[in-house]
Amino acid sequence: MKNYSLYCLIFVGLVCLESCGDDEQKLSADQIIQKAVERHGGEKYNNMEVEFDFRKRHFRAKISKGQYVYERSFRSKEGWVTDVWSNDKFKRMIDEKEIKLDQENLRTYRTATNSVIYFALLPFNLDDPVVNRQLMRSVEINDKAYYKVEMTYGQNGGGEDFEDVYVYWIDKEDFTIDYLAYSFNINGGGVRFREAYNQREVNGIRFQDYRNYTIDKDFPAQELDYAFQTKQLRLLSEIKLENIKVGLVE
């Protein structure tokens, strides 16, 4: 009987270990991201027109059948500025007249337009084939379990900032992106960690604001969840979207 009981305990232990392992491996990084995309907006991302205000600038994104137009507009001392980035080109208009840009300004204005819309619409486009996705070890943050997915962009199709690294912490139960981090190389480089709050849905698409943190030492983006939980991060700013409007394009 003793040997039989021992074998039973060993068998149960092995089953538990296999079950835990299966739980970690049953979803790939691609599948997790697809579920996050579906949770935040799904098919509505493919044909939509979104407008919002951010830090005294108005942003507009129109996406339809693989085509996109991103716009940023604001009042300046030169007049009414509108930056427009589409599949074809980037241009800056001042009082509806296109102006000529050198390469440095073109990149600066294009990045400023794209980055705000990119983060506002996350996880839209994270399932793009150009993105390299890697599933990391799952973690707990504030007693909640998260998938942890690292993303990089290939040099072909990844844009000028293809060396940047992004990390997303995705709730294991409802597949919302509650935290994200990224490293960047422009302006001396650095890392950021963002904590989502004020989540809301507008016409079926999920939006959220972020507390934006940094750290005053060299630290990899992949490990910023540890720095966050051990209170090593410093609050840098808050990312708040206002006056959100969403229209679905037929």
Side-chain angles (χ1 to χ4, degrees), residues 80-239:
W80 187 256
V81 177
T82 303
D83 293 329
V84 183
W85 190 20
S86 67
N87 295 70
D88 302 321
K89 60 178 289 189
F90 177 89
K91 63 181 179 180
R92 165 163 284 204
M93 313 283 289
I94 297 183
D95 292 334
E96 300 185 354
K97 181 180 179 181
E98 184 174 354
I99 65 169
K100 188 174 181 180
L101 298 172
D102 59 33
Q103 285 300 310
E104 182 178 353
N105 282 332
L106 186 150
R107 181 185 180 189
T108 298
Y109 301 150
R110 184 175 61 194
T111 298
T113 302
N114 177 68
S115 61
V116 172
I117 293 176
Y118 172 88
F119 285 114
L121 296 183
L122 282 173
F124 170 65
N125 253 357
L126 292 189
D127 54 354
D128 192 294
V130 76
V131 182
N132 304 312
R133 291 169 283 270
Q134 178 180 347
L135 184 59
M136 306 180 74
R137 183 182 294 275
S138 298
V139 298
E140 284 194 2
I141 302 178
N142 293 332
D143 298 321
K144 291 184 70 174
Y146 287 93
Y147 294 110
K148 185 175 178 180
V149 181
E150 178 190 270
M151 296 192 182
T152 56
Y153 291 80
Q155 187 167 1
N156 294 326
E160 296 162 325
D161 302 320
F162 68 91
E163 294 180 333
D164 295 353
V165 174
Y166 297 80
V167 184
Y168 299 91
W169 287 263
I170 300 169
D171 190 301
K172 282 194 169 187
E173 292 187 4
D174 62 9
F175 292 93
T176 56
I177 295 180
D178 293 353
Y179 305 92
L180 65 95
Y182 61 96
S183 65
F184 57 94
N185 294 306
I186 63 171
N187 299 324
V191 294
R192 296 288 185 268
F193 182 86
R194 293 188 179 185
E195 174 190 19
Y197 74 100
N198 190 26
Q199 296 87 343
R200 66 272 198 202
E201 284 195 6
V202 182
N203 207 0
I205 295 178
R206 181 183 175 93
F207 294 88
Q208 46 198 33
D209 299 330
Y210 295 95
R211 298 181 185 92
N212 187 36
Y213 297 90
T214 188
I215 189 167
D216 298 320
K217 53 180 156 181
D218 190 17
F219 214 96
Q222 296 90 334
E223 302 302 328
L224 285 176
D225 53 331
Y226 172 77
F228 174 70
Q229 295 192 89
T230 54
K231 303 186 184 304
Q232 298 184 60
L233 300 182
R234 173 171 57 86
L235 182 63
L236 188 64
S237 62
E238 293 193 359
I239 311 297

Side-chain angles (χ1 to χ4, degrees), residues 16-58:
C16 289
L17 284 173
E18 288 181 2
S19 298
C20 293
D22 289 345
D23 183 61
E24 287 297 316
Q25 297 299 324
K26 67 181 180 180
L27 291 179
S28 67
D30 288 355
Q31 290 171 323
I32 293 166
I33 292 301
Q34 288 167 3
K35 286 180 175 292
V37 170
E38 183 62 32
R39 175 64 180 83
H40 282 253
E43 293 183 357
K44 294 181 177 67
Y45 281 135
N46 298 325
N47 295 283
M48 65 178 178
E49 185 169 353
V50 177
E51 295 186 56
F52 61 88
D53 295 323
F54 175 68
R55 294 178 181 171
K56 298 183 179 180
R57 282 159 169 71
H58 186 71

